[in-house]
C-alpha cells in the first residue's frame, strides 16, 4: 500500500514512536493548526471545513457565498499555510464537498481525485466567464460571479499536493525529518483509496444472479427474502429510455 503523501500515520502508531517524536508531533500540530483549530478533534475539524454535506448550490448562488464548508479557495490557502494544515486541506472528502457545493452537478469527474475535478471544473468556469468578466469590468458593474473580492478561487493552488507531495521519509539536507501526523480520520480515507485488492477476491462470484423475468415476487420471497440470502437481479431497467437512447 502507498504511504500517505503528507506523512500521515494511523493513531495507533503513536505506541511505536519515541516520546521525543510524540512531543514533536503534538507541537507540530499545535503550531500548524493554530490556537483555535488545534483544539478541535480531527473529525470535528474536517466537519468544519467541509460543512454538513448538504446537496450543494448547483450554481444558484455566487461562489464566494458558499453555505457548505469553507470552499476551494480557502482550502487552497490553508494548504499553503502549514504542513499539518496541508494534510487536512488535501483530504479528498473536503474537495468532494467543495465541488458539489460550488458546481452542483455541472461538472465532469477529471483525473483521479476530487481535487483535480474541482480544479478542472473551476478552470472551465473561468474560461467560460472570461468574456463576461471583461464586459462587466468595462461597464463598471459588479465583479465576476457576484463576488465582492472580484476573483475566482486560487485554482492553481488546487494542484499543489499533486505536484509537490510531502513525504514522511528522510529530511532534506541538514533539516530534520518532520514528525508524522497521527490521525485515523486522515489516514483511513487514504488507505481505503490505495489498498490493493487481491485479484482472487474478484475472480469468484458467490452471489446468485437471476434475470427479472425468471424470478417472480413469490419465488423471490421464498428463495431469498425469507432465507435472508442476497441475490443480484438483472435486466430490470432494460426498458428505461435512459438506457435505450444513450
Amino acid at each position: 500500500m502507498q504511504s500517505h503523501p503528507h506523512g500521515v500515520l494511523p493513531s495507533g502508531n503513536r505506541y511505536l514512536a519515541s516520546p521525543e517524536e510524540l512531543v514533536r508531533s503534538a507541537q507540530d500540530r499545535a503550531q500548524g493548526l493554530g490556537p483555535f483549530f488545534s483544539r478541535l478533534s480531527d473529525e470535528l475539524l474536517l466537519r468544519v471545513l467541509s460543512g454538513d454535506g448538504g446537496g450543494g448550490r448547483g450554481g444558484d448562488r455566487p461562489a464566494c457565498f458558499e453555505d457548505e464548508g469553507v470552499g476551494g479557495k480557502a482550502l487552497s490557502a490553508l494548504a499553503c499555510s502549514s504542513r499539518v494544515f496541508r494534510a487536512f486541506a488535501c483530504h479528498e472528502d473536503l474537495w468532494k464537498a467543495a465541488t458539489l457545493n460550488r458546481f452542483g452537478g455541472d461538472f465532469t469527474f477529471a483525473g483521479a481525485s476530487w481535487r483535480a475535478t474541482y480544479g478542472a471544473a473551476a478552470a472551465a468556469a473561468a474560461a467560460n466567464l472570461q468574456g463576461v468578466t471583461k464586459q462587466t469590468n468595462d461597464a463598471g458593474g459588479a465583479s465576476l460571479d457576484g463576488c465582492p473580492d472580484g476573483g475566482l478561487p486560487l485554482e492553481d493552488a488546487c494542484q499543489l499536493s499533486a505536484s509537490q507531495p510531502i513525504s514522511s521519509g528522510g529530511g532534506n539536507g541538514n533539516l530534520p525529518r518532520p514528525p508524522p501526523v497521527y490521525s485515523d480520520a486522515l489516514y483511513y480515507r487514504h488507505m481505503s483509496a490505495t489498498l490493493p485488492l487481491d485479484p482472487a477476491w474478484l475472480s469468484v462470484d458467490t452471489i446468485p444472479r437471476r434475470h427479472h423475468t425468471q424470478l417472480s415476487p413469490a419465488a423471490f420471497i421464498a428463495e431469498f427474502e425469507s432465507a435472508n440470502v442476497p441475490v443480484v437481479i438483472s435486466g430490470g431497467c432494460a426498458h428505461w429510455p435512459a438506457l435505450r437512447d444513450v
Side-chain angles (χ1 to χ4, degrees):
M1 187 177 64
Q2 300 176 12
S3 60
H4 195 285
H6 305 299
V8 177
L9 292 176
S11 297
N13 280 39
R14 287 192 177 100
Y15 295 106
L16 305 177
S18 65
E20 293 77 13
E21 186 170 76
L22 293 178
V23 171
R24 290 178 58 219
S25 178
Q27 292 175 341
D28 205 37
R29 186 184 190 279
Q31 295 172 359
L33 298 182
F36 175 76
F37 289 113
S38 62
R39 295 177 179 270
L40 305 181
S41 67
D42 295 347
E43 294 78 7
L44 182 55
L45 177 53
L46 289 173
R47 176 69 179 271
V48 170
L49 297 178
S50 67
D52 62 6
R57 297 181 296 106
D60 59 338
R61 296 182 62 189
C64 56
F65 295 118
E66 294 180 85
D67 55 1
E68 303 291 343
V70 299
K73 182 176 181 179
L75 288 177
S76 298
L78 291 172
C80 298
S81 64
S82 73
R83 185 181 69 92
V84 178
F85 236 137
R86 184 170 174 178
F88 279 89
C90 290
H91 195 282
E92 273 291 275
D93 289 350
L94 301 185
W95 287 100
K96 177 182 178 180
T99 302
L100 296 177
N101 291 333
R102 180 176 175 189
F103 302 105
D106 188 17
F107 68 91
T108 300
F109 193 81
S113 68
W114 281 102
R115 188 170 59 254
T117 299
Y118 182 95
N128 292 335
L129 293 174
Q130 279 182 348
V132 177
T133 306
K134 186 177 185 304
Q135 295 175 6
T136 302
N137 291 339
D138 291 343
S143 58
L144 176 64
D145 243 9
C147 295
D149 63 357
L152 290 170
L154 304 174
E155 311 305 347
D156 291 342
C158 298
Q159 304 178 18
L160 60 90
S161 68
S163 60
Q164 297 178 340
I166 296 178
S167 172
S168 59
N172 181 13
N174 295 325
L175 295 178
R177 179 179 61 88
V181 178
Y182 296 104
S183 172
D184 287 344
L186 297 180
Y187 184 81
Y188 285 117
R189 177 64 168 82
H190 162 78
M191 185 186 73
S192 299
T194 60
L195 184 67
L197 294 178
D198 188 337
W201 298 351
L202 306 177
S203 62
V204 179
D205 190 355
T206 59
I207 300 179
R209 295 176 179 268
R210 297 287 190 278
H211 194 271
H212 76 102
T213 59
Q214 303 172 345
L215 187 65
S216 66
F220 170 77
I221 294 173
E223 295 182 42
F224 300 104
E225 184 182 35
S226 61
N228 197 27
V229 174
V231 61
V232 176
I233 301 176
S234 62
C237 304
H239 63 286
W240 288 8
L243 295 179
R244 295 199 312 266
D245 301 338
V246 174

